[in-house]
């Protein structure tokens, strides 16, 4: 049964820690504090997200098998290389959904609704006649919206009476799109043959290295712009961290040019020491600026002109 466990990709569960920024932002913007956190509810939320994500992975692995055989490494996945039974795969898919829904119910209703949307996005992404993963640009946007949904799920762990600001939702979505487009770019370069790349992933028929890199730049610009809007509105001190964020985005793009880049396997990025050090520094900087007020930054939001006396 280990192959059926493998296609649920438990090694990808680390991605679901993306709910934690939603928790932190809810503490920052609402009347709740970290002392109000319900640990049982947080654990249920994390594993509910894992179950729903794994359900999406299971259906993804099964439906992608005819295409993965053209990929240099994915052709060794169990669904491609082994004789797996469709009936067991479907049973696994349904079981993961049931467990995910039950755990979601233990959090609250908004969390449950968001979990079901996450499940539905996985259906749209993988299943014909929708299969958005085959459509250029929609493949990136429809998958990266899961980043935004995870942030909302983290938010709902803390409060079910409001929604996160649209600026941070769009910024988080576009940051996910940037990561996904950069992953596509690294994959396309690694395959090295446009025809083979198109057999593996149909959206690659309409991409090139130039368009993938340009789209990643677009997503990063939208993401950082929305993040800047959010920071100015809610905690302007965090703007001092933005150069570090720009550096992180730039370094990530540079990594995509490496042979067999880790960018192709985001679940393994925690092994990249330099990248993790940069993330750690950013977390420390944001944490420090949560408690430090920088008064002169507030004056910069004024719409008054700075007058200079003439001699």
């Amino acid at each position: 049964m280990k192959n059926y466990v493998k296609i649920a990709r438990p090694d990808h569960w680390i991605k679901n820690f993306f709910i934690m920024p939603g928790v932190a932002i809810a503490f920052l913007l609402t009347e709740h504090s970290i002392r109000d956190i319900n640990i049982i509810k947080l654990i249920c939320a994390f594993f509910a997200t894992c179950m729903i994500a794994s359900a999406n992975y299971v259906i993804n692995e099964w439906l992608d098998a005819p295409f993965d055989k053209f990929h240099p490494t994915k052709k060794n996945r169990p669904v491609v290389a082994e004789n797996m039974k469709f009936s067991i795969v479907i049973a696994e898919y349904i079981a993961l959904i049931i467990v995910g829904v039950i755990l979601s119910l233990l959090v609250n209703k908004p969390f449950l609704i968001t979990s079901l949307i996450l499940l539905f996005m996985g259906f749209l992404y993988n299943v014909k006649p929708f299969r958005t993963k085959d459509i250029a640009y929609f493949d990136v946007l429809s998958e990266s919206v899961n980043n935004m949904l995870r942030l909302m799920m983290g938010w709902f762990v803390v409060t079910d009476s409001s929604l996160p600001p649209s600026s941070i939702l769009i910024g988080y979505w576009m940051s996910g799109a940037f990561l996904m487009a950069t992953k596509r770019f690294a994959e396309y370069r690694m395959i090295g043959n446009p025809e083979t790349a198109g057999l593996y992933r149909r959206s690659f028929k309409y991409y090139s290295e130039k368009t993938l890199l340009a789209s990643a730049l677009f997503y990063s610009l939208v993401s950082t712009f929305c993040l800047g809007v959010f920071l100015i509105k809610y905690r302007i001190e965090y703007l001092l961290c933005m150069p570090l964020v720009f550096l992180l985005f730039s370094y990530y793009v540079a990594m995509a040019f490496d042979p067999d880049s880790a960018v192709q396997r985001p679940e393994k990025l925690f092994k990249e020491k330099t990248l993790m050090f940069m993330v750690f520094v950013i977390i420390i900087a944001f944490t420090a600026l949560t408690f430090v007020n920088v008064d002169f930054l507030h004056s910069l939001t004024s719409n008054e002109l700075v007058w200079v006396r003439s001699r």
Side-chain angles (χ1 to χ4, degrees):
M1 295 297 293
K2 66 179 182 179
N3 285 334
Y4 294 96
V5 174
K6 190 173 182 179
I7 64 173
R9 302 185 196 173
D11 57 322
H12 286 230
W13 285 1
I14 192 172
K15 294 179 183 178
N16 296 313
F17 280 103
F18 275 110
I19 71 172
M20 294 310 296
V23 173
I25 292 168
F27 286 144
L28 178 68
L29 300 185
T30 70
E31 71 281 2
H32 298 280
S33 69
I34 195 168
R35 289 173 294 183
D36 301 324
I37 191 70
N38 185 322
I39 298 299
I40 300 299
K41 185 180 289 188
L42 180 61
I43 292 172
C44 287
F46 176 76
F47 283 105
T49 310
C50 291
M51 294 300 105
I52 297 298
S54 284
N56 287 339
Y57 290 143
V58 165
I59 203 71
N60 173 274
E61 292 247 359
W62 182 264
L63 294 176
D64 275 6
F67 308 100
D68 285 346
K69 64 183 180 181
F70 297 105
H71 191 276
T73 57
K74 292 182 180 180
K75 65 184 180 182
N76 298 317
R77 283 180 168 178
V79 174
V80 181
E82 306 287 341
N83 184 25
M84 299 182 70
K85 295 183 179 179
F86 178 69
S87 59
I88 299 179
V89 170
I90 287 298
E92 180 181 8
Y93 176 66
I94 295 172
L96 287 166
I97 292 173
I98 292 172
V99 175
V101 168
I102 292 172
L103 290 172
S104 297
L105 282 168
L106 296 176
V107 182
N108 53 46
K109 185 177 179 180
F111 186 94
L112 171 64
I113 293 171
T114 311
S115 296
L116 293 175
I117 295 173
L118 180 64
L119 180 68
F120 180 65
M121 291 307 301
F123 183 85
L124 289 181
Y125 185 72
N126 290 292
V127 180
K128 293 181 178 180
F130 312 103
R131 201 166 165 82
T132 58
K133 72 179 303 175
D134 290 340
I135 308 171
Y137 304 109
F138 280 97
D139 61 333
V140 169
L141 293 171
S142 61
E143 184 170 10
S144 59
V145 75
N146 296 341
N147 253 32
M148 182 181 75
L149 294 173
R150 286 185 174 97
L151 183 139
M152 293 177 67
M153 293 163 86
W155 174 279
F156 290 136
V157 171
V158 177
T159 177
D160 60 358
S161 60
S162 61
L163 293 172
S166 59
S167 55
I168 193 64
L169 288 177
I170 297 173
Y172 214 62
W173 179 13
M174 290 297 105
S175 67
F178 163 76
L179 296 175
M180 190 54 57
T182 309
K183 177 185 175 182
R184 294 278 191 272
F185 173 78
E187 280 185 326
Y188 193 89
R189 280 177 55 85
M190 186 269 291
I191 295 172
N193 184 313
E195 184 176 345
T196 303
L199 292 173
Y200 155 62
R201 191 181 294 279
R202 289 189 177 182
S203 61
F204 277 165
K205 294 180 180 181
Y206 312 101
Y207 282 132
S208 65
E209 287 188 25
K210 182 188 294 186
T211 57
L212 283 166
L213 197 57
S215 66
L217 174 61
F218 173 80
Y219 301 136
S220 68
L221 291 173
V222 177
S223 173
T224 52
F225 172 79
C226 290
L227 182 58
V229 170
F230 172 77
L231 299 183
I232 290 172
K233 289 178 66 177
Y234 298 103
R235 184 68 183 172
I236 196 170
E237 282 79 5
Y238 290 152
L239 281 180
L240 297 177
C241 296
M242 289 306 292
L244 296 174
V245 175
F246 299 151
L247 182 62
L248 181 67
F249 274 58
S250 302
Y251 182 78
Y252 196 80
V253 171
M255 285 177 58
F257 286 87
D258 295 338
D260 194 27
S261 170
V263 170
Q264 299 178 56
R265 297 174 295 279
E267 69 280 0
K268 304 295 184 183
L269 287 173
F270 68 93
K271 295 182 179 180
E272 295 292 320
K273 294 180 180 179
T274 302
L275 184 72
M276 289 300 100
F277 176 74
M278 294 172 69
V279 171
F280 177 74
V281 170
I282 290 173
I283 292 173
I284 293 298
F286 270 98
T287 302
L289 288 170
T290 300
F291 304 100
V292 176
N293 294 322
V294 184
D295 293 334
F296 85 89
L297 289 174
H298 294 268
S299 65
L300 298 180
T301 61
S302 171
N303 59 3
E304 294 183 6
L305 299 177
V306 177
W307 296 97
V308 180
R309 290 183 179 180
S310 58
R311 294 182 180 178

